[in-house]
Amino acid sequence: MSEQSSGIDNVMQENRLFPPSAEFAGNAAIGSMQQYQELWDRAEKDPTRFWDGIAKDELHWFEPYGDVLKQDGHNVEWFVGGKTNLSYNCLDAHIEAGNGDRKAIIWEGEPGDTRTLTYRELHGEVCKFANGLKKLGVGVGDVVSIYMPMTPELAIAMLACARIGAIHSVIFAGFSAEAIADRNNDAKAKIQLTSDGLNRRGKVLPLKDTVDDAMKKSPTVEHVVVLRRVGNEVQWTEGRDHWWHELCDSVDADCPALPLDSETTSFILYTSGSTGKPKGIRHTTAGYNLWAKMTFKWVFDWKPDDVYWCTADCGWITGHSYIVYGPMSAGATCLMFEGAPNYPAENRFWELVEKYRVSIFYTAPTAIRAFIKWGDEQVEKHDLSSLRVLGTVGEGINPEAWMWYHEKIGGGRCPIVDTWWQTETGGIMMSPLPGATATKPGSCTKPLPGVVPAIVDESLKPVGENQGGMLCIAKPWPGMLRGVWGDDQRFFDTYWATVPGNYLTGDNARCDNDGYYWIMGRIDDVINVSGHRLSTIEVESAMVSHEAVAECAAVGRPDEIKGQAIAVFCSLRGAEPTEELRKELKLHVRKEIGALAVPDDIRFTDSLPKTRSGKIMRRLLRDIAAGRQVAGDVSTLEDYTALAKLASTED
Ligand code: PRX
C-alpha cells in the first residue's frame, strides 16, 4: 500500500440534492426509495432466495442449477451445475419472445456510414462467424484475442465466442504490438481477430500492421482473421491470415448456442494492477450475465423503446457489460459509434443524439470535461429533448462537471447516474436508481441490491460516518471476478488477503450520514487517466527499458480534462537531458504500451527523493508534479538536495 492511504482527506463538501421528478419516478420500474430499500434488504437478508427468483426469470436455462451459491472462502460458484449461454440470452431469447425484428445495433462509422442490425440479423451474423471460428478449430476454452475497431463485427465476434464456449480477450485498439503480445502470451491465445485498419479523426490506423508485429512474439496464435474495414493494403501471411468475409462465405447459417456450465469462463479482460504486469480478470457465464443484465435494467430504468448509447469502447469492461452483454440480454436497442467525439467537429456526439433520438446516454467524466471546454454552442445547436437518463463511469465526477451535464445535456430534467464499479466487479456496484434516488453531485450514492459494502481503516476496523477508509465488499455477488488468469496466488493476494472475508476494491471511500458513498481515489499506485486504469509501475517499467534511463518514478498529477496526467521523474545513465531524448522516451512508452500511457511530463533529475530505507517518496513527487508546495513530513527523506533540485526542473 502506498503512503497515500494514511490520512485520507475529506475532499468534497457537497450538499445539493437532486430528487427525480414525480413524473420520472411515476414511470420508473423502481420509483421510490422504499422500493429500493425493500429490494436491497431482501437481497441482503436472503441472497439465495433473492437471486434464485431473478435468475429463473431472467436467464434461459438449458439445464437447471442446483445450489444458487456455493462458497468456500474467496472461491464462489453461482447457480451451481446449471447450463446456459450468454449469446443465447442476448439473441435467441429475444427472437423466441417475438422481438427478433427489434433493432439491436444502430451503428455509425466515423466517416458517417451506417448500419442497422435487428436481433434476428445479429443472430445470423453471430452464427456465421461462430461457424467460421469452428472451421479454424476453435472450441470450448480456446482463447480468442480481439483487436478491432468499434464496428458491429466486434460485438459479433464477442457473441460468437460466447456462443461456442471460446474465451475472448478483447484488447483495446490503442495498445501497442508489445502489449498485444504480452496479453496473448499470458492468455495463450489461439486466434487473433483484427481489421485492416481503424478510422481515427480522418486518418487510417493500420491495425493489421500492429498485429503483424505482435505475431512475431505471439507463438501460441495459429490464425489471424482480418475484417475489411477501411480497404487499405495489408501484408498477408498465407495459411495464417484469413479474411473475415471469406471465412464466413461458405458456412452454415445456423449455429446452435452451446449449453455451458454456469461457471464456464466467458472472457478474460486485462487490466492494470499495482505491479507492472497486467492481470487477466476472469469472468464466468451465468453470474456475470445476470449481473450485467440486472444492473443495466435497474440503473438505466431501461424500457423497450429506449435508444441507448454507451460511448465506451468494447476494449474496456464498460463496453463488455454495457454495450454488449447487459443491454443485449435485456433486448435493448444500442447505438454503437466508431469515431471520436470531436471529428469532424466538436458537436459530433450531440448530432448523433439528435439524429438517432438517443434516450439513455452513458459516458465518462473526462469526456464531459472536454465537452465543457469545447463550448456550450456545440450543444445548443442540437435538439437533445429525446434524452431521459444520463450516466457516468470511470472516475469520480467533479460537481462542476456534474452540474454542466445536468443543465446543458440533461436540460435540468434527466437524472444522472454516477456508476461506481470496476473491471473486477463485472458490472455496476453503486449507483443512483434514476426513479428513486435523490442524487448529490460527486457521489455514486448507494449500493445496488446484492452489494454489501464495508469501509475499514488500516487496523481493519469499520470506520465511522464520513471517515475515509478502504472500500471492501463484504458478501459475494453474481458478477464478481472468479480469478486472475493463470495466477491464483495473485488473485488471493490482491483482493482477499488484506481484509479477511472481504473483497478489497483498491479504492478509498467514505459514507456520509445519509448512507451515500463518496469514492476518494486509489489506495495503491494505480492512476486513472481519462477513466482508464494505469499502473505507475507499468509506465516505469517501459521507461527503464530504454537504455538512457537509470531510474524513474511515475506519478499522477491533476489534469483538467483527463482527471489525471502522467508525470515521470527520471535520472539518466550519463545521457544528455535534451528535448530530443524527451521525445524519444515518449515514443518509446508509446511503443511499449500504447498512446494512453505516454507521459505528459518527463522531468530529468540527478536523483530521486528516497526514504532512508530506499523507497521513492511518491507523495513528494506527486506534490511537485502538481506544482503544490511540498507538504507533510519529510523527516525520512534521505537527500534534501534531491528535492530542491526536482522542484526547480521544468518539463
Ligand atoms: O477507482 C475507481 C474508478 O475506476 C476504477 C476501476 O477502473 P476499471 O476497472 O478500469 O473500470 C472502469 C469502468 C468501470 C475504480 O476502482 N472508478 C470507476 N467508476 C467510478 C470510479 N471512481 C469514482 N466514481 C466512479 N463512478
Side-chain angles (χ1 to χ4, degrees):
M1 196 186 305
S2 75
E3 78 269 34
Q4 192 185 15
S5 58
S6 51
I8 300 155
D9 296 328
N10 184 349
V11 279
M12 281 190 188
Q13 272 304 339
E14 177 60 63
N15 300 316
R16 283 171 290 194
L17 203 60
F18 294 84
S21 68
E23 193 197 344
F24 193 103
N27 289 321
I30 302 174
S32 70
M33 277 319 261
Q34 277 108 303
Q35 243 182 309
Y36 155 78
Q37 198 60 49
E38 193 263 331
L39 263 186
W40 194 88
D41 289 346
R42 266 177 41 213
E44 203 257 343
K45 282 204 187 78
D46 193 348
T48 300
R49 198 148 153 212
F50 180 82
W51 288 112
D52 190 28
I54 295 181
K56 286 215 168 85
D57 288 347
E58 299 283 350
L59 300 186
H60 172 82
W61 295 98
F62 295 99
E63 281 178 34
Y65 48 84
D67 288 342
V68 171
L69 172 64
K70 200 165 113 191
Q71 189 175 4
D72 174 15
H74 64 284
N75 292 312
V76 300
E77 289 175 48
W78 283 89
F79 312 112
V80 182
K83 290 212 184 333
T84 184
N85 184 293
L86 256 170
S87 179
Y88 186 98
N89 291 322
C90 288
L91 301 168
D92 309 56
H94 307 311
I95 298 171
E96 267 161 38
N99 295 322
D101 295 327
R102 186 185 293 164
K103 289 173 188 160
I105 298 179
I106 302 171
W107 176 79
E108 184 158 317
E110 191 184 82
D113 45 339
T114 63
R115 264 168 82 190
T116 300
L117 290 153
T118 64
Y119 274 97
R120 196 185 315 284
E121 289 163 342
L122 183 61
H123 174 268
E125 295 295 321
V126 168
C127 284
K128 276 198 289 181
F129 192 63
N131 283 331
L133 287 176
K134 280 196 205 161
K135 251 189 358 196
L136 296 178
V138 179
V140 177
D142 286 331
V143 176
V144 176
S145 170
I146 305 183
Y147 185 74
M148 290 178 65
M150 280 290 288
T151 51
E153 282 78 6
L154 174 47
I156 289 166
M158 293 165 73
L159 290 161
C161 289
R163 199 159 186 88
I164 60 173
I167 299 167
H168 59 68
S169 163
V170 185
I171 302 171
F172 173 62
F175 278 110
S176 66
E178 291 288 329
I180 301 172
D182 282 352
R183 286 157 176 75
N184 283 349
N185 288 323
D186 188 76
K188 302 198 171 50
K190 184 168 171 178
I191 303 283
Q192 179 73 59
L193 312 183
T194 190
S195 71
D196 52 356
L198 174 154
N199 293 303
R200 201 65 182 166
R201 296 195 176 87
K203 296 207 180 84
V204 164
L205 303 187
L207 290 198
K208 173 68 163 60
D209 290 357
T210 309
V211 162
D212 285 340
D213 271 355
M215 289 306 106
K216 292 178 195 146
K217 292 187 183 171
S218 302
T220 60
V221 175
E222 295 165 15
H223 297 279
V224 177
V225 180
V226 187
L227 174 76
R228 186 177 276 152
R229 165 65 187 130
V230 293
N232 60 336
E233 280 222 359
V234 291
Q235 301 285 319
W236 207 252
T237 302
E238 281 308 326
R240 184 197 74 181
D241 295 352
H242 312 264
W243 283 112
W244 179 298
H245 55 273
E246 287 174 5
L247 186 69
C248 294
D249 210 19
S250 52
V251 294
D252 241 31
D254 193 27
C255 172
L258 200 61
L260 295 168
D261 187 272
S262 294
E263 286 292 310
T264 307
T265 301
S266 54
F267 65 85
I268 49 182
L269 183 59
Y270 283 85
T271 187
S272 295
S274 51
T275 75
K277 188 173 174 283
K279 48 195 175 199
I281 301 299
R282 187 169 76 78
H283 282 290
T284 53
T285 297
Y288 169 79
N289 192 165
L290 192 63
W291 192 247
K293 180 175 183 182
M294 292 316 295
T295 52
F296 172 74
K297 293 205 321 189
W298 284 331
V299 169
F300 298 105
D301 185 45
W302 170 77
K303 310 243 186 292
D305 54 359
D306 274 313
V307 176
Y308 163 83
W309 184 19
C310 167
T311 70
D313 188 288
C314 288
W316 312 108
I317 191 67
T318 308
H320 284 59
S321 302
Y322 299 107
I323 293 180
V324 181
Y325 295 120
M328 290 188 191
S329 40
T333 296
C334 307
L335 176 64
M336 191 174 176
F337 177 52
E338 182 189 35
N342 56 351
Y343 186 84
E346 288 161 349
N347 65 335
R348 184 72 189 265
F349 272 18
W350 317 124
E351 200 176 75
L352 289 167
V353 169
E354 180 173 5
K355 178 169 172 189
Y356 296 107
R357 306 292 298 156
V358 172
S359 56
I360 305 174
F361 179 72
Y362 190 28
T363 197
T366 185
I368 297 169
R369 291 191 296 267
F371 302 145
I372 296 173
K373 194 172 146 216
W374 296 338
D376 293 357
E377 62 279 11
Q378 303 296 347
V379 179
E380 282 158 3
K381 51 188 169 199
H382 296 284
D383 172 11
L384 306 184
S385 60
S386 55
L387 290 170
R388 60 178 207 94
V389 180
L390 303 176
T392 70
V393 60
E395 58 179 307
I397 177 163
N398 44 311
E400 307 83 75
W402 195 102
M403 286 308 299
W404 184 89
Y405 197 32
H406 174 69
E407 282 163 12
K408 295 291 168 196
I409 306 303
R413 68 179 187 279
C414 304
I416 296 181
V417 291
D418 173 351
T419 64
W420 173 83
W421 59 295
Q422 310 178 293
T423 304
E424 291 88 339
T425 67
I428 298 168
M429 300 293 276
M430 297 208 248
S431 169
L433 299 183
T437 318
T439 47
K440 298 184 189 183
S443 167
C444 58
T445 75
K446 302 228 171 195
L448 294 184
V451 176
V452 183
I455 304 178
V456 300
D457 64 18
E458 280 175 24
S459 60
L460 310 186
K461 292 207 182 66
V463 300
E465 265 176 14
N466 274 318
Q467 279 175 330
M470 297 185 278
L471 176 63
C472 304
I473 308 295
K475 296 272 174 66
W477 68 101
M480 66 197 278
L481 80 165
R482 300 295 199 276
V484 170
W485 188 250
D487 200 341
D488 290 343
Q489 192 60 44
R490 192 169 176 198
F491 176 51
F492 176 74
D493 291 346
T494 312
Y495 303 107
W496 307 99
T498 312
V499 189
N502 285 253
Y503 165 80
L504 183 75
T505 66
D507 282 341
N508 280 312
R510 72 180 166 93
C511 183
D512 71 15
N513 15 6
D514 296 325
Y516 279 46
Y517 286 81
W518 300 78
I519 305 297
M520 299 162 70
R522 302 281 306 184
I523 59 177
D524 51 21
D525 289 325
V526 172
I527 51 179
N528 191 324
V529 180
S530 301
H532 301 311
R533 239 156 93 170
L534 266 178
S535 141
T536 51
I537 299 164
E538 269 175 276
V539 180
E540 288 163 9
S541 310
M543 286 284 294
V544 295
S545 71
H546 189 283
E547 58 190 9
V549 176
E551 192 179 34
C552 88
V555 295
R557 67 153 169 82
D559 181 271
E560 210 188 320
I561 302 291
K562 296 198 272 190
Q564 283 189 296
I566 308 167
V568 174
F569 295 84
C570 118
S571 62
L572 299 173
R573 290 175 196 277
E576 282 300 305
T578 58
E579 198 46 46
E580 279 300 284
L581 179 61
R582 194 172 270 135
K583 280 197 195 125
E584 192 180 315
L585 289 171
K586 287 186 180 182
L587 269 178
H588 180 71
V589 176
R590 177 186 288 260
K591 187 174 147 281
E592 291 291 306
I593 309 178
L596 72 166
V598 172
D600 297 82
D601 320 329
I602 296 179
R603 296 187 188 213
F604 296 121
T605 170
D606 293 340
S607 60
L608 293 167
K610 291 187 185 162
T611 61
R612 290 198 185 99
S613 63
K615 272 183 79 178
I616 293 175
M617 297 194 78
R618 291 170 178 280
R619 181 168 49 81
L620 295 187
L621 295 178
R622 278 194 288 269
D623 284 345
I624 295 167
R628 287 192 291 263
Q629 283 288 331
V630 174
D633 180 15
V634 291
S635 59
T636 52
L637 182 64
E638 190 206 21
D639 178 5
Y640 289 94
T641 53
L643 181 62
K645 280 187 200 151
L646 277 171
S648 61
T649 49
E650 288 302 315
D651 184 23

